[in-house]
Amino acid sequence: MESFDAVYKQHYQDLYRYVYRYFHRREPCEDIVQETFLRLYKQHQKKGCIEYEKAWLYKVATNLSLSKLQRSKKWTLIQPGLTYDTPSVPSPDEIFEKAESSRRVFKVLAKLKKRDRVLLMLYQEKMTYKEMSEITGIKSTSVGKLLSRAFEQCARLLEEAS
Amino acid sequence: MKHTPDKQDLFDYMMGEGDNKSRHTIFKHIENCSACQQQLELLNRQKKNIDADLSMLNPSSIPYNVWKKPESVRTRLNWMKMPAFAVSFASLCLIAILTNKLTLQCQSENSSLIVQHDKNDADLAGDILSDWHEKRITVKFVPAGTQEVQYIRASLASN
């Protein structure tokens, strides 16, 4: 499975970063990224290569993340900041400050519509409108309009929160 | 007439969308339109703030090549363990109920109340002062024809 290895190496980190933003916790993120690649592996075995793997991976990861969020809604609002992920050892003030900021952003994102949140996350991954459309199933002609609205609302909420 | 910038076109332009021709047209227009320049500046500022805020959610490190037991397998195992857990919990409850019942039965069979007094004319319709911690009760009464308050002690004893 040479192609699977190549896809894994190419997309693992980006996909991990993308999923991490939904949960801000390591464990569910690792589970979802792994599950996504397992599904890709099974797909490779069944049908061979997928035409547009990047979009496929993000689509599966988005669906898995959203359904997990729906199942454990309470946790997603409480957890961020409490289990802040720090490999190096920053000062307690830095940890606290960053945890507070990320908690604020996380709360703002939680207030947005599910569709808007997904679009913003995909924008962060530098996806084009076409790719966003492929992943979310939204018409490519509507993606720009919806993204600009999500942008406006997110900016307003962030301003209010700060 | 004052020109009103098309927000959506500018947003798409900022996002790098559209073909080269349309992008070039917008670029040329912005060069000569202060209203569009201001709007684009506002959008860029908004974008910069959102980028900075959303980057807070990035992980500080990304583990690589970490494979765990898939979540679906873990869930299946949990379901397999569920009946064993339910059975052990139910038996624990049963043991607790039986122990409680047996203890109560033993207590009622082995203990009785003995009242020791020799005052037949006592008016026992007095106050009963009980002290269960000391396993003793005291009956306060007034004998007929007197005003004197007297007490009878009764103790709890095993058979």
Side-chain angles (χ1 to χ4, degrees):
Chain A
M1 276 282 166
E2 181 61 39
S3 62
F4 175 79
D5 287 348
V7 174
Y8 181 80
K9 276 178 190 161
Q10 196 184 341
H11 295 296
Y12 180 85
Q13 296 209 326
D14 290 341
L15 200 67
Y16 185 96
R17 199 183 311 110
Y18 171 70
V19 175
Y20 187 87
R21 290 199 198 104
Y22 282 97
F23 298 94
H24 211 253
R25 282 190 299 140
R26 244 183 138 118
E27 205 187 303
C29 173
E30 282 170 5
D31 285 343
I32 284 170
V33 175
Q34 178 176 301
E35 184 67 28
T36 308
F37 278 106
L38 272 180
R39 288 189 187 188
L40 179 74
Y41 186 80
K42 283 175 191 166
Q43 197 77 5
H44 271 223
Q45 280 185 323
K46 269 188 204 167
K47 297 175 185 171
C49 287
I50 299 165
E51 200 183 335
Y52 191 51
E53 267 152 346
K54 191 182 173 188
W56 190 93
L57 281 171
Y58 277 87
K59 193 176 187 171
V60 172
T62 305
N63 290 338
L64 287 173
S65 304
L66 291 178
S67 56
K68 190 159 184 113
L69 276 176
Q70 213 159 6
R71 268 184 277 143
S72 56
K73 208 172 182 179
K74 283 175 193 167
W75 281 102
T76 60
L77 289 171
I78 296 165
Q79 281 296 85
L82 296 178
T83 55
Y84 182 62
D85 178 31
T86 47
S88 57
V89 190
S91 72
D93 282 349
E94 277 174 348
I95 295 177
F96 181 75
E97 203 174 304
K98 198 165 181 188
E100 276 301 304
S101 309
S102 53
R103 199 200 306 261
R104 179 176 60 89
V105 177
F106 206 84
K107 275 184 179 173
V108 164
L109 285 176
K111 281 181 194 169
L112 292 174
K113 276 185 196 166
K114 203 160 67 177
R115 184 191 59 197
D116 293 350
R117 208 185 326 168
V118 172
L119 285 175
L120 281 172
M121 299 290 186
L122 291 172
Y123 150 75
Q124 275 285 293
E125 289 302 305
K126 296 179 174 48
M127 298 268 181
T128 61
Y129 286 0
K130 199 184 164 201
E131 286 171 323
M132 287 184 198
S133 154
E134 196 125 345
I135 293 163
T136 55
I138 299 168
K139 277 183 193 170
S140 57
T141 45
S142 311
V143 169
K145 216 173 275 179
L146 292 172
L147 183 64
S148 73
R149 268 186 225 159
F151 240 76
E152 224 166 275
Q153 202 182 358
C154 184
R156 187 175 51 77
L157 288 171
L158 283 169
E159 210 170 302
E160 279 173 16
S162 61
Chain B
M1 197 175 85
K2 199 185 170 189
H3 166 68
T4 314
D6 188 330
K7 269 190 191 177
Q8 192 57 48
D9 282 349
L10 290 172
F11 184 82
D12 294 345
Y13 176 78
M14 181 184 72
M15 288 290 168
E17 291 290 330
D19 54 61
N20 285 340
K21 197 183 163 190
S22 63
R23 287 183 62 75
H24 184 72
T25 314
I26 293 173
F27 176 75
K28 282 282 169 202
H29 171 77
I30 292 167
E31 265 189 338
N32 305 314
C33 176
S34 62
C36 284
Q37 276 171 19
Q38 277 177 4
Q39 183 63 39
L40 190 64
E41 219 168 272
L42 186 80
L43 284 172
N44 270 318
R45 214 169 28 241
Q46 212 175 48
K47 182 176 179 281
K48 207 175 156 187
N49 289 342
I50 286 179
D51 284 349
D53 281 328
L54 291 187
S55 69
M56 296 276 182
L57 300 180
N58 284 346
S60 44
S61 69
I62 298 177
Y64 187 66
N65 230 353
V66 181
W67 288 92
K68 302 194 287 186
K69 196 180 277 180
E71 200 182 15
S72 50
V73 175
R74 271 184 272 156
T75 318
R76 222 174 290 140
L77 278 175
N78 282 344
W79 278 107
M80 283 166 74
K81 282 176 189 168
M82 271 304 280
F85 174 75
V87 167
S88 54
F89 183 72
S91 28
L92 271 175
C93 287
L94 199 66
I95 289 168
I97 291 165
L98 285 174
T99 313
N100 196 19
K101 204 170 180 183
L102 279 172
T103 315
L104 284 173
Q105 272 181 356
C106 289
Q107 275 183 349
S108 61
E109 279 171 8
N110 295 336
S111 55
S112 61
L113 185 72
I114 298 168
V115 181
Q116 295 169 331
H117 70 97
D118 51 2
K119 295 181 191 303
N120 295 325
D121 55 349
D123 175 11
L124 286 174
D127 298 328
I128 295 178
L129 313 168
S130 58
D131 187 353
W132 292 102
H133 290 294
E134 296 288 326
K135 292 186 177 175
R136 197 168 59 192
I137 61 168
T138 307
V139 180
K140 181 184 168 189
F141 72 102
V142 181
T146 64
Q147 295 293 315
E148 193 188 353
V149 178
Q150 290 193 20
Y151 295 94
I152 294 176
R153 291 193 199 291
S155 63
L156 278 168
S158 300
N159 283 340

